[in-house]
Amino acid sequence: MRSSADGMHLVAMVNPPTSQYSDNWRHPLSRRDWLSAEFYLDLGRTLERGCFDMLFLPDALAVPEDNTGDFATTLVTGGKGAIYLDPMVTLSLVAGATRHLGLAATISTTFTPAYTIARKLLSLDHLSGGRVAWNIVTSTTDAEAANFSLPSIPPKSERYDRADDVVQTVVDLWDTWQPGALTLDGPRRRFADPEQVQRIPERPLLAGGRPLSRGPITLPRSPQGKPVLMQAGSSPRGMEFAARWAEVVFIVADTPDAMRAVRTELRCRAVAAGRNPDHLAVLPAVQPITGSTRDAAFATVRDLEAALDEQDVLTKLGRLLHASREELEPDGSAEQLLLAHRGATGSEGFEQMLLAAARRQSMTVRDLANAQAMNQLHPQPVGDPADIADYLCELYDSEAADGFVIMSALYPSSLEDFVNGVVPELQSRGRFRTSYSGRTLREHLGAPA
């Protein structure tokens, strides 16, 4: 969304206790009260002080399992996904402690009814004054399916067909009340105008079956028109879906050229879908590590690397790829290990990035395990605030990105360092807002209602 006068967009992805750095939960600079309201309230206030567009909470609906179907490895190692709070409940707390920060919740279209999604998001959107986004996921694992009485996760094509139907239904439900339907006309004893409230249009469903809802929803129109739609799929089917629906796309790419290629493809697909490509913000994930000086930043990296244990990171990699202990030969080929376990993570785009990096860098299994434990192979610029700003501005100015999903090595110190150091540097260069010019998330993004 290059039309925004605020410059690049910044979104903070927050998923403690592990973050993208696998030992976050045990590091002395990380807080351990991530099951408390205070943790998220403080984080929300920090991000709002930094004028971030939004706080984004990922989610999964099962503890990740290993190749035997056991969840023990995830829990013993504190692996990603060991704990997830409900994003809607958590963001409701943050909404009350902030006034401008956008609030992005992950909700699965595979396991959640369309009406439930529409009502929950619209409720929080009203209560926050129009600051909500929906991160649309289809879920990926059999473990999640088992928690909803299904024998296995449906095939990707079926999940995306259903997602198209669910999103269309949710958007239709949000449109069942016209802007002036809630009249509150006391003298005429007229609460609302029923002629401005409709049931949703009857449409053919891609996934087949009965209509997912009939409406109307039990709430008037959103303060921002409707909540913002966000998505992270990077497979061909995922990008097709993003081109049709998404207003913010979170992408996984490890080089500037890869970022630029994905952004270009998404914009071309948006045009083919009949949309204005400038109405789609493409945000690569990055994990900056900054300090007051360049030396301090590199010292932090060395500290993070030194805290990793080789056997521990190999175990975590094995769980991620559903590989047995015997396959995790440290000096073996990372490329061969990845090829042998295609599909294990449920994310085609993420696996493709891992494979490309393994080939480009001739990684061993040990190399891949260490990189995965440090930053999940997302770009990790290191330096003082000016160095990080140089890196982000170069990507933004070269149209490799419309902004960034900022990931943290440590919570909350990494985000505090970014807000205190990098944000002022970006502001001084005119690449980022110095204050919020509007109130709603759509206004922050420059997105049409």
Side-chain angles (χ1 to χ4, degrees):
M1 296 177 187
R2 291 276 168 166
S3 60
S4 172
D6 291 342
M8 68 176 64
H9 301 295
L10 294 178
V11 174
M13 178 175 166
V14 176
N15 61 328
T18 55
S19 80
Q20 307 307 303
Y21 173 66
S22 67
D23 272 19
N24 167 77
W25 66 271
R26 56 184 293 272
H27 197 280
L29 291 180
S30 290
R31 285 172 58 170
R32 294 194 178 187
D33 61 337
W34 27 261
L35 290 177
S36 72
E38 287 74 16
F39 178 91
Y40 293 94
L41 296 177
D42 290 346
L43 196 57
R45 294 185 186 108
T46 295
L47 295 172
E48 185 158 273
R49 177 166 58 84
C51 295
F52 267 59
D53 291 79
M54 59 178 151
L55 164 63
F56 157 43
L57 298 183
D59 193 26
L61 299 170
V63 177
E65 299 174 348
D66 62 16
N67 61 312
T68 69
D70 195 351
F71 54 76
T73 297
T74 300
L75 294 182
V76 168
T77 63
K80 185 177 178 181
I83 288 178
Y84 275 115
L85 290 166
D86 185 306
M88 291 297 296
V89 175
T90 308
L91 291 173
S92 295
L93 286 168
V94 179
T98 55
R99 292 293 176 266
H100 298 278
L101 181 68
L103 310 163
T106 300
I107 306 179
S108 172
T109 57
T110 299
F111 303 119
T112 315
Y115 188 90
T116 300
I117 295 171
R119 186 166 177 258
K120 284 181 177 291
L121 290 166
L122 188 53
S123 294
L124 184 56
D125 206 37
H126 277 289
L127 295 173
S128 66
R131 295 188 279 137
V132 168
W134 173 22
N135 179 46
I136 307 162
V137 298
T138 67
S139 300
T140 59
T141 68
D142 290 342
E144 291 171 287
N147 281 341
F148 291 86
S149 301
L150 295 178
S152 61
I153 194 79
K156 176 179 286 190
S157 60
E158 292 182 19
R159 299 199 310 271
Y160 271 113
D161 285 350
R162 175 172 171 79
D164 278 320
D165 291 339
V166 169
V167 176
Q168 182 67 72
T169 303
V170 168
V171 171
D172 285 344
L173 284 165
W174 288 338
D175 285 339
T176 53
W177 289 60
Q178 296 304 306
L182 184 62
T183 59
L184 298 179
D185 188 343
R188 297 178 59 196
R189 306 181 68 84
R190 194 172 181 83
F191 176 79
D193 181 358
E195 293 185 0
Q196 296 190 61
V197 181
Q198 300 88 28
R199 301 198 189 279
I200 68 173
E202 293 188 9
R203 304 176 189 271
L205 301 182
L206 286 176
R210 300 175 57 188
L212 301 181
S213 183
R214 67 171 188 168
I217 200 167
T218 58
L219 291 164
R221 185 175 292 262
S222 160
Q224 61 175 336
K226 57 179 173 288
V228 171
L229 301 181
M230 180 174 171
Q231 196 258 354
S234 53
S235 67
R237 184 64 176 92
M239 286 197 281
E240 176 189 336
F241 182 87
R244 180 178 181 184
W245 296 112
E247 298 165 286
V248 176
V249 183
F250 157 37
I251 69 168
V252 174
D254 65 334
T255 67
D257 286 343
M259 295 175 193
R260 197 170 294 107
V262 174
R263 181 176 181 271
T264 298
E265 180 169 356
L266 283 166
R267 288 173 62 83
C268 290
R269 285 177 178 268
V271 171
R275 296 179 60 198
N276 182 340
D278 290 334
H279 293 168
L280 189 154
V282 180
L283 311 182
V286 298
Q287 181 176 289
I289 295 182
T290 190
S292 57
T293 65
R294 192 174 298 172
D295 287 345
F298 279 96
T300 297
V301 172
R302 290 192 295 272
D303 173 67
L304 296 176
E305 291 174 338
L308 299 176
D309 174 80
E310 178 172 305
Q311 189 53 55
D312 186 64
V313 300
L314 287 170
T315 298
K316 290 172 181 174
L317 180 66
R319 196 277 301 161
L320 176 71
L321 298 180
H322 289 185
S324 66
R325 184 182 299 272
E326 292 72 28
E327 294 175 284
L328 297 171
E329 169 54 45
D331 295 317
S333 165
E335 178 183 354
Q336 293 305 312
L337 179 68
L338 290 166
L339 288 173
H341 293 278
R342 293 302 293 266
T345 71
S347 174
E348 184 177 335
F350 174 62
E351 290 182 11
Q352 190 57 41
M353 183 191 74
L354 296 182
L355 186 59
R359 286 171 172 164
R360 186 173 61 251
Q361 300 176 39
S362 300
M363 284 185 172
T364 64
V365 171
R366 178 188 293 106
D367 295 334
L368 179 62
N370 283 326
Q372 173 67 20
M374 274 295 292
N375 51 44
Q376 297 187 13
L377 278 77
H378 294 110
Q380 183 175 279
V382 180
D384 63 25
D387 293 329
I388 305 302
D390 286 343
Y391 174 83
L392 299 180
C393 288
E394 181 177 351
L395 292 172
Y396 179 75
D397 294 345
S398 67
E399 299 192 345
D402 298 302
F404 304 92
V405 174
I406 304 299
M407 296 179 163
S408 300
L410 304 173
Y411 289 121
S413 59
S414 294
L415 284 171
E416 290 170 346
D417 290 344
F418 188 92
V419 166
N420 293 335
V422 180
V423 166
E425 187 72 30
L426 293 172
Q427 291 169 333
S428 71
R429 302 181 188 198
R431 300 303 204 289
F432 190 60
R433 65 173 70 88
T434 56
S435 62
Y436 293 100
S437 57
R439 176 69 184 273
T440 71
L441 180 55
R442 287 189 175 277
E443 289 173 313
H444 304 343
L445 296 170

